[in-house]
Amino acid sequence: MQAADASTTEWEAESPESPARPPQPGGGWWRDSVVCLLLGLLAFLVYNANLRSIGAGDTYPARYLPLSIWKHHSLALDPIETLVAQGMKAPTAAGEVTGAYWMTKGPRGHLVSLYPVVTPVVLTPLYLPAFVYLQMTGWESERVDHMARIMEKICASLMASASVMLMYLVLRRRCARMLAIWLTLVYAFGTATWGISSQALWMHGLAQLLVVLGLWLITGPSTRWRTVAMGLVCALIACNRPPDVFLAAGLGLCALWWAGRRWPLLLLGGLAPTGLLLAYNLDAVGHLLGSYGLFTGKKKLALSVGSAFSGVAGLLFSPVHGLLVFSPFLLFLPFGWARVRSDPRSRRFAWVLGIAVLAQLLFYGAVQWVQGVSWGPRFLTAMLPILMWMLAPVVVGLSRVGRTAFSAACVVAVLIEVLGAFWYTGETHATSLAALSARPGMSVRAAAEHAAWDIRNTPFIADLRLPNELGARLRGTIDVATVTAGREVEVAGWALMGGHSPFDLHLLVDGQRRVASTGTFFERPDVVRALGEASPSGWRVTFPLGDLAPGEHVLTVLVRSAAGAQPRVLPERRFTVPPRIDEFVPRDWSLAQAAQHVAAVLAHRQHGSGYWLTAHTQAPRFERPVQELNLFANAEMIDVLGPVAQEVGVGEMLARARSFLASQIEDNGLVRYHGRPELPTHGTLGCRITPDADDTALVWRIAPGERAEGLAMALATLNRFRTPDGLYRTWLAPQDRYECLDPGKDPNPPDIGIQIHVFLLLAQADPPAARRLCQAMRKRASDESLWVYYRMAPPVVVLRRNELRQAGCSLDLPPQRLRTTVAGQGVWLELLERLQGLEDGGGASAAVHADNAAFLARLASGGFGMLARDPLLFYHNDLSASVSRFYWSQELGYALWLRLYAENERARTPGPERKTPGQGARP
């Protein structure tokens, strides 16, 4: 480790072809050792200061394989397939390229890493503490993933810090201590050593460490053991990353001169890693060159001088990957080449290593110079120690002005790496690359090159966001993954990233299709109770089945802590797609057949407990619906179908629904929109919400409980929440006790629909109160402020007009509120007008019956395709609230169709006296 002091004008170096000088008096060796350790410690602390890793799919096998080696004693990825795949589909056949491109299938049927396994094998001993910890605490998927991510960052930063320490020792043989310190700091914090090597287990990190170790060996004395070690280093460089064979060859040639007559020991040192890797490649991968050989054998590499030079230009100057853009101080190297080759003690090494660097540049330029979505010149990371070794004499020879310019370039390089370590996400580059790849006629390579030259993708300008995720443990589950008869998959669960709500999550099916996503999270009381974490963690997403084939499928959820952050994976869940009920529907069916189909669909969609689910969206368009359970829609279903239950064969179905609704009355007589808090759908398909007047009135009228005193308590509570003019408010609790609510301008408004539903209950339970409410409604029926939840969705109010009139409370409602401006909803108002025409009696003509039948047939055409595209919008939340919600129901649409069909048939063929609307549903 000895290095002599040198002045800044006349640098000293020990000849790499002669033994090292003995330690100088004055503690030079001791001081260099202390400086070396301090530089390594500083680098390690700085590299981990961002508390996140910056990797990609390339690094996944190296992240998890060491733990698998400890536990399963195998280099195959089969035991850890789910973790390594990270939600993507793994290959199922040799040569297949899937979403998990970093894995391939070997000849023995095992999954193996696409990349050489030298890095994870070398680092396996460092994973021992993590292995012991997991042995003691358990190998749950979340815990293993969390520990693997931490170990990846620690190991990567340790290797990078070790290369910094060795770089200083190498430079001390080239220049004075102070200059060596500053150049080492520039190497540590002004190059890809920070942005690439220290951030994740790229192969470049180990390659860089091995290259600088090789430089340290051959610039010292040649001994037997050092010669064997040098052979081992050169072999490992080539085995770890095959494109680095040029650097390995350059160092190997220098080592032959350096070793002299000991050159056989050099070859001996390289035999072990080379032999082991070749054996692994042949046995596990099926090709002498490993996975690289499998894929390059299928593609003819188009090599040309023109492409090589344009590629070299991209490697050096492109705004996304350019070496001289990210480390501009290296521009001084070509201008000082004369100084590098002027020293007789290192001239031979300088020429050989310079040619090796140039050969690797030309190789990358000719084959593939773009480097995916990564920070800066990733492909050229391994050559950085050689470039820094060459740079030392150049800096020594600079004038004062030159050193000022060099220092400024170093500062710029360090600032660029700071931005990369703390703010880089790669999202801008990835988005640009995806957009270009989607262009017709644009090849993947052409798109990558175009994106890499686009100055708008310059990462230290484009991506200034901070995804801090290394220390954040992901916890969560997929609670629900079920298929509805509406050809949708309902998925719900919870997730926390480091105790906080995630940024967003994305769903994949069978590791290939990103089918849905959400960035909305809500409170999960069960999670709060269990973990003590108050951050919203619940999520729910639905997506259409589309062309998913019947059978079992794998659902994966990718969770991100911030935009551009690496996704984390929740434990997968499987769901089964049943055969489509539509497949059994005849093309030319009669209305009677269509009615039977509708009844079958409703029975199929009804949960075993007796309820139907509904959907909500964030806009008045049926796009990206989210499923939920609410009692309101179920009560409406019973009211709509009750009068015709026997005719259409849904009596048992409605009995189950009534029984379910009755079970949701709480001990205080009140009812919540999502039902009782202990329902399993809470936190997965719903939210614990404050009891309300609407659902309390509906349930007590349609499915009263067995406890008569409960109704009295409910009526008393309703009476406490009346307005001064006699109307009833929505929420049955003071505002400071609201749960899971997003109030609007009026935190507890009276609404026209709620007044109607409360009136229908009072008409049976408390007629005097009903008459008072009717008078209050008549005074304010035209008041726009009453239309809170039905302003854009009038069907429910229109449906109730006949019931109000028959109960003696006709209302003069504003005509503009009984129309709709929402696309696709006019057909439902037309259906209700036809239904009310039949209910009004008056001896509808045969022409009316025929017209109704034609209308019903039009709705039923295409397997009720219209209903799937534009289901019934039956209400929305307060439009003045911060979050918009529009509530849709295909089931209620089916029920209205079935009701009109039955009423039309009943009026067309006179029979027993018909029941009044809702009569079949009354207690």
Side-chain angles (χ1 to χ4, degrees), residues 160-370:
S161 301
S163 78
V164 169
M165 296 167 66
L166 285 171
M167 192 75 251
Y168 170 75
L169 298 178
V170 170
L171 290 172
R172 274 297 283 130
R173 292 172 175 165
R174 203 90 158 124
C175 58
R177 179 177 292 114
M178 190 53 64
L179 182 56
I181 291 174
W182 287 116
L183 287 178
T184 302
L185 290 173
V186 172
Y187 167 79
F189 306 123
T191 69
T193 310
W194 190 357
I196 296 292
S197 297
S198 73
Q199 298 301 303
L201 288 182
W202 302 93
M203 293 178 289
H204 314 285
L206 180 60
Q208 192 177 1
L209 176 60
L210 292 171
V211 169
V212 71
L213 177 59
L215 284 174
W216 180 76
L217 287 171
I218 63 171
T219 55
S222 171
T223 65
R224 289 194 182 99
W225 287 111
R226 290 170 70 97
T227 304
V228 173
M230 187 63 197
L232 176 65
V233 166
C234 291
L236 285 175
I237 292 172
C239 292
N240 176 65
R241 182 169 168 79
D244 290 337
V245 68
F246 300 100
L247 303 181
L251 286 169
L253 186 57
C254 293
L256 285 174
W257 289 319
W258 167 75
R261 289 178 297 177
R262 297 192 180 96
W263 66 268
L265 297 177
L266 196 68
L267 299 180
L268 180 64
L271 285 178
T274 305
L276 290 173
L277 182 67
L278 292 178
Y280 167 81
N281 286 345
L282 288 173
D283 181 68
V285 185
H287 195 285
L288 190 66
L289 298 179
S291 300
Y292 285 87
L294 289 177
F295 290 97
T296 56
K298 296 181 179 180
K299 301 177 182 179
K300 293 183 179 180
L301 301 180
L303 305 179
S304 67
V305 174
S307 66
F309 281 110
S310 64
V312 170
L315 287 166
L316 297 178
F317 299 107
S318 76
V320 175
H321 298 303
L323 175 67
L324 300 180
V325 173
F326 284 77
S327 298
F329 61 88
L330 291 174
L331 278 166
F332 287 80
L333 187 55
F335 296 105
W337 176 248
R339 179 82 179 181
V340 176
R341 60 183 176 82
S342 63
D343 182 63
R345 294 170 295 178
S346 60
R347 181 185 302 132
R348 183 183 296 174
F349 284 7
W351 274 108
V352 172
L353 294 178
I355 293 172
V357 167
L358 182 60
Q360 190 171 49
L361 279 171
L362 291 171
F363 171 78
Y364 278 130
V367 176
Q368 180 82 352
W369 65 270
V370 290

Side-chain angles (χ1 to χ4, degrees), residues 62 132 146 182 189 239 353 368 406 435 582 588 611 782 835 877 912:
V132 173
H146 183 61
W182 287 116
F189 306 123
C239 292
L353 294 178
Q368 180 82 352
F406 178 80
D582 304 29
D588 299 320
Y611 60 79
S782 60
L835 181 59
N877 71 337

Side-chain angles (χ1 to χ4, degrees), residues 632 635-636 639 693-703 757 800:
F632 175 70
E636 294 290 337
D639 255 352
D694 209 20
D695 292 286
T696 298
L698 278 166
V699 172
W700 272 110
R701 181 174 60 84
I702 293 170
H757 292 138
R800 299 296 186 183

Side-chain angles (χ1 to χ4, degrees), residues 539-884:
W539 54 267
R540 49 182 176 262
V541 179
T542 62
F543 62 89
L545 285 177
D547 59 354
L548 278 181
E552 191 175 67
H553 297 271
V554 177
L555 180 73
T556 307
V557 175
L558 306 181
V559 185
R560 297 193 301 171
S561 62
Q566 287 190 28
R568 310 279 281 275
V569 184
L570 290 177
E572 67 184 29
R573 189 181 181 99
R574 297 178 182 271
F575 66 95
T576 301
V577 177
R580 291 186 55 169
I581 192 170
D582 304 29
E583 295 171 358
F584 306 107
V585 174
R587 292 181 178 275
D588 299 320
W589 53 7
S590 65
L591 286 182
Q593 289 174 316
Q596 292 174 357
H597 169 74
V598 169
V601 168
L602 292 178
H604 183 60
R605 295 190 181 187
Q606 189 180 35
H607 190 272
S609 298
Y611 60 79
W612 290 275
L613 297 175
T614 52
H616 65 75
T617 63
Q618 294 184 353
R621 299 182 300 277
F622 193 62
E623 298 175 354
R624 300 183 66 185
V626 176
Q627 293 288 321
E628 71 166 18
L629 164 64
N630 69 69
L631 303 193
F632 175 70
N634 285 274
E636 294 290 337
M637 288 283 291
I638 297 174
D639 255 352
V640 168
L641 288 175
V644 296
Q646 300 306 317
E647 289 94 325
V648 296
V650 297
E652 293 183 5
M653 193 187 310
L654 296 189
R656 288 194 297 272
R658 282 197 189 94
S659 176
F660 170 75
L661 290 181
S663 70
Q664 301 310 302
I665 300 175
E666 300 186 23
D667 294 340
N668 58 4
L670 304 183
V671 179
R672 301 174 191 262
Y673 174 77
H674 289 302
R676 298 179 72 96
E678 61 267 23
L679 272 177
T681 50
H682 272 284
T684 55
L685 296 177
C687 183
R688 180 189 176 101
I689 198 169
T690 303
D692 65 276
D694 209 20
D695 292 286
T696 298
L698 278 166
V699 172
W700 272 110
R701 181 174 60 84
I702 293 170
E706 297 178 356
R707 295 171 58 246
E709 66 274 16
L711 177 58
M713 289 189 291
L715 293 175
T717 303
L718 283 168
N719 193 55
R720 288 202 302 271
F721 288 91
R722 294 176 64 196
T723 64
D725 56 359
L727 298 179
Y728 289 81
R729 296 190 180 277
T730 303
W731 309 110
L732 303 180
Q735 188 174 356
D736 59 358
R737 293 175 58 189
Y738 281 1
E739 297 180 82
C740 201
L741 292 181
D742 177 28
K745 181 172 57 177
D746 184 343
N748 200 356
D751 169 84
I752 186 63
I754 290 176
Q755 309 315 306
I756 293 172
H757 292 138
V758 172
F759 170 82
L760 293 176
L761 171 65
L762 295 177
Q764 299 175 18
D766 189 353
R771 288 192 292 271
R772 290 192 295 271
L773 176 56
C774 181
Q775 294 172 0
M777 284 195 291
R778 283 173 174 166
K779 291 179 181 179
R780 293 191 57 188
S782 60
D783 189 340
E784 289 285 323
S785 66
L786 282 188
W787 293 77
V788 179
Y789 305 119
Y790 301 95
R791 181 177 294 270
M792 297 177 64
V796 169
V797 176
V798 173
L799 176 67
R800 299 296 186 183
R801 284 190 302 180
N802 273 2
E803 292 180 78
L804 285 172
R805 185 170 61 253
Q806 292 168 5
C809 187
S810 298
L811 295 181
D812 186 15
L813 300 173
Q816 69 272 18
R817 286 287 145 246
L818 302 181
R819 297 190 292 267
T820 181
T821 59
V822 179
Q825 292 301 300
V827 67
W828 298 113
L829 292 180
E830 182 181 353
L831 186 153
L832 290 170
E833 289 177 4
R834 291 175 181 271
L835 181 59
Q836 290 191 351
L838 293 173
E839 291 176 348
D840 288 340
S845 66
V848 171
H849 298 317
D851 188 46
N852 286 337
F855 175 77
L856 290 165
R858 188 166 75 249
L859 294 186
S861 63
F864 288 89
M866 182 282 296
L867 197 155
R869 292 190 304 271
D870 296 304
L872 176 69
L873 174 62
F874 62 104
Y875 91 103
H876 51 73
N877 71 337
D878 190 336
L879 296 178
S880 65
S882 60
V883 178
S884 297

Side-chain angles (χ1 to χ4, degrees), residues 71 130-139:
K71 182 172 177 61
F131 168 73
V132 173
Y133 170 77
L134 292 172
Q135 285 287 91
M136 296 172 60
T137 59
W139 288 80

